[in-house]
Protein backbone atom coordinates (compact mmCIF):
# COMPACT_ATOMS: atom_id res chain seq x y z
CA UNK A 1 0.00 0.00 0.00
CA UNK A 2 1.58 3.34 -1.05
CA UNK A 3 2.19 6.03 1.52
CA UNK A 4 -0.23 8.94 1.39
CA UNK A 5 1.19 12.15 -0.04
CA UNK A 6 1.35 14.86 2.59
CA UNK A 7 0.54 18.26 1.17
CA UNK A 8 0.78 21.62 2.82
CA UNK A 9 -2.40 23.59 2.92
CA UNK A 10 -2.24 27.21 1.93
CA UNK A 11 -3.69 29.36 4.68
CA UNK A 12 -6.66 31.50 3.82
CA UNK A 13 -5.46 35.05 3.48
CA UNK A 14 -7.28 38.27 3.00
CA UNK A 15 -6.34 40.45 0.03
CA UNK A 16 -4.72 42.91 2.44
CA UNK A 17 -2.54 40.14 3.91
CA UNK A 18 -1.57 38.95 0.44
CA UNK A 19 -0.63 42.49 -0.55
CA UNK A 20 1.48 42.91 2.58
CA UNK A 21 3.34 39.65 1.92
CA UNK A 22 3.91 40.64 -1.69
CA UNK A 23 5.19 44.10 -0.75
CA UNK A 24 7.56 42.63 1.87
CA UNK A 25 9.01 40.21 -0.67
CA UNK A 26 9.30 42.93 -3.29
CA UNK A 27 11.09 45.22 -0.85
CA UNK A 28 13.48 42.39 0.05
CA UNK A 29 14.27 41.79 -3.62
CA UNK A 30 14.90 45.48 -4.22
CA UNK A 31 17.28 45.67 -1.26
CA UNK A 32 19.14 42.58 -2.45
CA UNK A 33 19.46 44.04 -5.94
CA UNK A 34 20.80 47.32 -4.60
CA UNK A 35 23.29 45.47 -2.37
CA UNK A 36 24.45 43.41 -5.33
CA UNK A 37 24.91 46.47 -7.54
CA UNK A 38 26.83 48.28 -4.79
CA UNK A 39 29.13 45.27 -4.33
CA UNK A 40 29.76 45.11 -8.08
CA UNK A 41 30.69 48.82 -8.17
CA UNK A 42 33.06 48.34 -5.22
CA UNK A 43 34.73 45.38 -6.94
CA UNK A 44 35.10 47.45 -10.09
CA UNK A 45 36.69 50.30 -8.12
CA UNK A 46 39.14 47.91 -6.47
CA UNK A 47 40.05 46.41 -9.84
CA UNK A 48 40.58 49.86 -11.32
CA UNK A 49 42.75 50.91 -8.36
CA UNK A 50 44.87 47.78 -8.72
CA UNK A 51 45.30 48.49 -12.42
CA UNK A 52 46.45 52.06 -11.62
CA UNK A 53 49.25 50.72 -9.42
CA UNK A 54 50.31 48.14 -11.99
CA UNK A 55 50.69 50.64 -14.86
CA UNK A 56 54.30 51.53 -15.60
CA UNK A 57 55.17 55.15 -15.11
CA UNK A 58 56.67 56.07 -18.50
CA UNK A 59 56.15 59.86 -18.24
CA UNK A 60 59.22 60.50 -16.11
Amino acid sequence: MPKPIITKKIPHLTPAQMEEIFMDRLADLIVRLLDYRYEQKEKEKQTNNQNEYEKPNTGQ
Side-chain angles (χ1 to χ4, degrees):
M1 183 171 190
K3 292 183 181 179
I5 298 172
I6 300 171
T7 58
K8 291 184 178 180
K9 293 194 177 203
I10 299 173
H12 296 286
L13 300 172
T14 65
Q17 290 171 320
M18 287 186 237
E19 183 179 2
E20 184 178 352
I21 291 169
F22 174 79
M23 295 303 282
D24 286 345
R25 290 182 180 178
L26 181 61
D28 184 54
L29 287 172
I30 290 169
V31 169
R32 287 181 188 208
L33 176 62
L34 292 173
D35 285 345
Y36 175 78
R37 290 178 69 186
Y38 177 77
E39 288 173 7
Q40 294 302 312
K41 284 183 181 180
E42 289 299 312
K43 285 181 185 176
E44 186 177 322
K45 284 181 186 177
Q46 289 176 356
T47 303
N48 289 341
N49 287 340
Q50 287 176 352
N51 290 341
E52 291 272 326
Y53 292 124
E54 293 172 0
K55 289 181 184 175
N57 191 358
T58 57
Q60 293 178 352

